[in-house]
Amino acid sequence: LLYYQEVRLSMAENVIKINHLEIENVKRVKAVKLVPSPSGLTVIGGRNNQGKTSVIDAIAWALGGDRYRPSEAQRDGSVVPPCIHIVLSNGLIVERHGKNSELKVIDPKGNKGGQQLLNEFVEQLAIDLPRFMQASGKDKANTLLKIIGVGDKLYELEQRERTLYSHRHIIGQIADQKKKYAQEMQTFPNVPSEPVSASELIRRQQDILAKNGENQRKRARLNDLETQLANLERDINALLQKQSAILSDLTIARTSAKDLHDETTAELEASIQSIDELNRKIRANLDKEKAESDALVHQNQYDTLTAELLAIREDKTALLNSANLPLSGLSVSEGELLYHGKAWDCMSGSEQLKISTAIVRCLNPKCGFVLLDKLEQMDIETLEEFGAWLETEGLQAIATRVSTGGECAIVIEDGYAQDTETTTQPTWKAGAF
């Protein structure tokens, strides 16, 4: 805070302010003379429609150029054209008078100049503060960033932040979808981790079937020999020799068939029938593991992008913290102007005025004054605080307020400046100061 005050006081030594002004026949003003305070708040009071705002408009016209010329500059009922006479702290005298109200700027040496000379130190927003206050939040923030010289760097950081945020958002959605998909998938306990092959079981089945076929062939052989034996016995006399051979073969066949044992394929058949279901369960488990793995990968990517986003936001904060802001507590976030963390529409009217004045002043450090209209929104205490802040900043503010109280430097009544301690009306000659 001390740093900001020292900078402001140093700037105040070289700024240009309004020392004296006299206005006649401009809009509602008949004749007004004012010596504003060099710093702090000079309040022009009065009831409605008495000419307070006309004083502000006349100053804006005199210093800001014809762009601020009122559409009906000459006071209704006056035969004398508008006259404006302003003396600035750098010695310049600014006048507008005569039929066309042409601008005349005279320096202390008597040399004459024009609007270009005034433009060197008159900040347009200082005489048209509502234009800044009614600007969008983004425009206000851009004005501040322009002042502190970090706009390009902050824009680059915000572009990177938006790109990372969009990428992280997509990754987060994918991670959530995969996680939800994995959670909804069915798992089966007590099954192998890899699909089972049916070929081995089929081979074993074929071996058993082949063995059983051989057994069946041997049984058929036995039956055939027994049949032949029966036939030979019916003709034993004729077939004795053949009988001996057959008996020998029969003995061998009986010996071979004695220990034969058929194996069942029921278990293998059941395994073959259930292998598809088993493999389905195995594949389901593998799919779930893959889904969980994918979800974890995307979650890790999301966390990495989050860390990068936080780093960029810290860079933005450090960039703004290191900048020479025109008012302590000002910052820019997401392209919006903030004051102590509050957005523009959440600030009080006095805070908005304070911020606007500080920012506009920094646009042209040579301009040491600002014009303010309609300060009715401030109570007396807030008005005093605002005035004290202006004095601390070395700033001069000329403002209007619907009031006739002691806070007013002058009170305008029916176009004339009234002494706040007496109601005596000045007896000025029309067209002369």
Side-chain angles (χ1 to χ4, degrees):
L1 182 59
L2 290 175
Y3 169 76
Y4 284 111
Q5 291 176 346
E6 290 174 1
V7 171
R8 301 296 176 263
L9 291 174
S10 175
M11 293 171 58
E13 296 175 358
N14 300 311
V15 299
I16 298 170
K17 303 177 182 179
I18 298 173
N19 284 355
H20 179 86
L21 65 90
E22 298 173 0
I23 305 167
E24 188 173 350
N25 294 324
V26 178
K27 295 181 68 176
R28 290 182 179 274
V29 170
K30 294 179 179 177
V32 170
K33 181 178 181 180
L34 175 64
V35 178
S37 173
S39 63
L41 185 62
T42 299
V43 177
I44 302 171
R47 293 178 291 107
N48 288 323
N49 301 319
Q50 299 301 304
K52 302 183 302 299
T53 300
S54 297
V55 174
I56 298 295
D57 291 345
I59 300 172
W61 177 24
L63 300 179
D66 285 332
R67 62 186 295 186
Y68 295 103
R69 180 190 180 105
S71 58
E72 297 181 6
Q74 186 168 322
R75 179 177 61 83
D76 286 346
S78 174
V79 296
V80 179
C83 294
I84 306 172
H85 179 87
I86 297 177
V87 180
L88 301 174
S89 61
N90 61 352
L92 289 180
I93 297 175
V94 182
E95 293 182 344
R96 283 188 182 274
H97 58 80
K99 182 178 179 180
N100 296 321
S101 301
E102 292 181 355
L103 174 67
K104 183 189 295 183
V105 181
I106 306 171
D107 69 14
K109 295 181 180 180
N111 298 317
K112 296 182 180 180
Q115 188 63 48
Q116 186 174 359
L117 179 59
L118 296 178
N119 289 343
E120 293 180 6
F121 59 85
V122 175
E123 170 53 45
Q124 294 296 312
L125 289 178
I127 57 179
D128 190 11
L129 198 63
R131 183 154 62 94
F132 174 82
M133 298 183 69
Q134 293 166 10
S136 67
K138 183 177 181 180
D139 288 341
K140 291 188 185 75
N142 288 338
T143 301
L144 175 59
L145 296 176
K146 175 184 175 183
I147 292 171
I148 62 180
V150 299
D152 292 342
K153 180 62 176 177
L154 190 65
Y155 175 79
E156 178 187 343
L157 289 172
E158 287 182 341
Q159 287 293 100
R160 287 175 55 200
E161 180 183 10
R162 278 193 288 270
T163 301
L164 275 174
Y165 181 84
S166 298
H167 184 44
R168 187 189 70 159
H169 181 67
I170 294 172
I171 291 296
Q173 287 181 320
I174 295 174
D176 289 342
Q177 291 170 356
K178 288 187 175 292
K179 188 183 298 182
K180 183 177 180 181
Y181 175 67
Q183 291 172 347
E184 292 175 349
M185 295 176 71
Q186 187 178 8
T187 55
F188 303 93
N190 304 322
V191 299
S193 58
E194 296 292 336
V196 177
S197 173
S199 60
E200 177 62 23
L201 295 176
I202 293 173
R203 187 190 63 77
R204 290 170 57 191
Q205 180 191 37
Q206 290 175 343
D207 289 345
I208 292 173
L209 291 174
K211 186 177 180 180
N212 289 346
E214 180 65 16
N215 291 346
Q216 186 61 30
R217 186 188 64 78
K218 291 179 178 180
R219 291 189 184 95
R221 173 66 174 164
L222 174 61
N223 291 333
D224 182 56
L225 291 174
E226 288 179 342
T227 300
Q228 291 182 38
L229 178 60
N231 293 333
L232 290 173
E233 286 177 347
R234 283 195 300 266
D235 197 8
I236 195 168
N237 292 326
L239 301 172
L240 288 175
Q241 189 176 2
K242 187 177 182 179
Q243 179 186 26
S244 178
I246 290 173
L247 288 174
S248 177
D249 290 340
L250 180 60
T251 301
I252 295 172
R254 286 175 175 169
T255 301
S256 299
K258 182 178 180 181
D259 296 324
L260 291 177
H261 176 69
D262 289 342
E263 296 183 23
T264 180
T265 63
E267 183 179 351
L268 289 174
E269 290 172 354
S271 296
I272 291 171
Q273 292 175 356
S274 65
I275 193 169
D276 288 340
E277 177 64 15
L278 177 63
N279 284 337
R280 184 189 69 80
K281 293 179 180 180
I282 292 171
R283 283 191 292 271
N285 288 352
L286 292 173
D287 290 344
K288 182 176 178 65
E289 289 177 6
K290 179 65 167 56
E292 290 174 342
S293 177
D294 289 346
L296 181 60
V297 168
H298 284 82
Q299 183 63 50
N300 290 337
Q301 292 179 3
Y302 183 89
D303 294 341
T304 300
L305 292 171
T306 298
E308 292 181 24
L309 272 175
L310 291 175
I312 289 176
R313 289 168 181 170
E314 288 174 359
D315 289 344
K316 286 171 56 182
T317 301
L319 181 65
L320 291 172
N321 289 340
S322 64
N324 183 18
L325 294 170
L327 188 64
S328 178
L330 275 181
S331 62
V332 175
S333 178
E334 303 293 338
E336 292 291 330
L337 184 68
L338 302 180
Y339 184 55
H340 294 304
K342 294 188 294 186
W344 183 262
D345 59 354
C346 296
M347 301 175 196
S348 66
S350 61
E351 287 177 326
Q352 291 177 348
L353 275 176
K354 186 175 178 180
I355 292 163
S356 301
T357 302
I359 291 176
V360 167
R361 187 266 187 88
C362 286
L363 285 172
N364 189 339
K366 293 181 180 179
C367 185
F369 64 89
V370 64
L371 306 181
L372 306 171
D373 196 18
K374 298 179 177 62
L375 291 192
E376 298 83 40
Q377 58 185 311
M378 291 189 185
D379 56 33
I380 296 298
E381 182 179 351
T382 306
L383 202 66
E384 291 175 352
E385 291 177 358
F386 183 53
W389 175 79
L390 288 168
E391 290 187 18
T392 301
E393 298 290 308
L395 275 169
Q396 178 189 66
I398 301 175
T400 67
R401 176 180 171 86
V402 178
S403 172
T404 58
E407 76 276 14
C408 303
I410 61 170
V411 174
I412 305 295
E413 184 177 334
D414 192 26
Y416 288 104
Q418 304 292 322
D419 192 324
T420 55
E421 297 181 357
T422 177
T423 58
T424 303
Q425 181 170 304
T427 56
W428 297 346
K429 182 180 178 181
F433 297 105

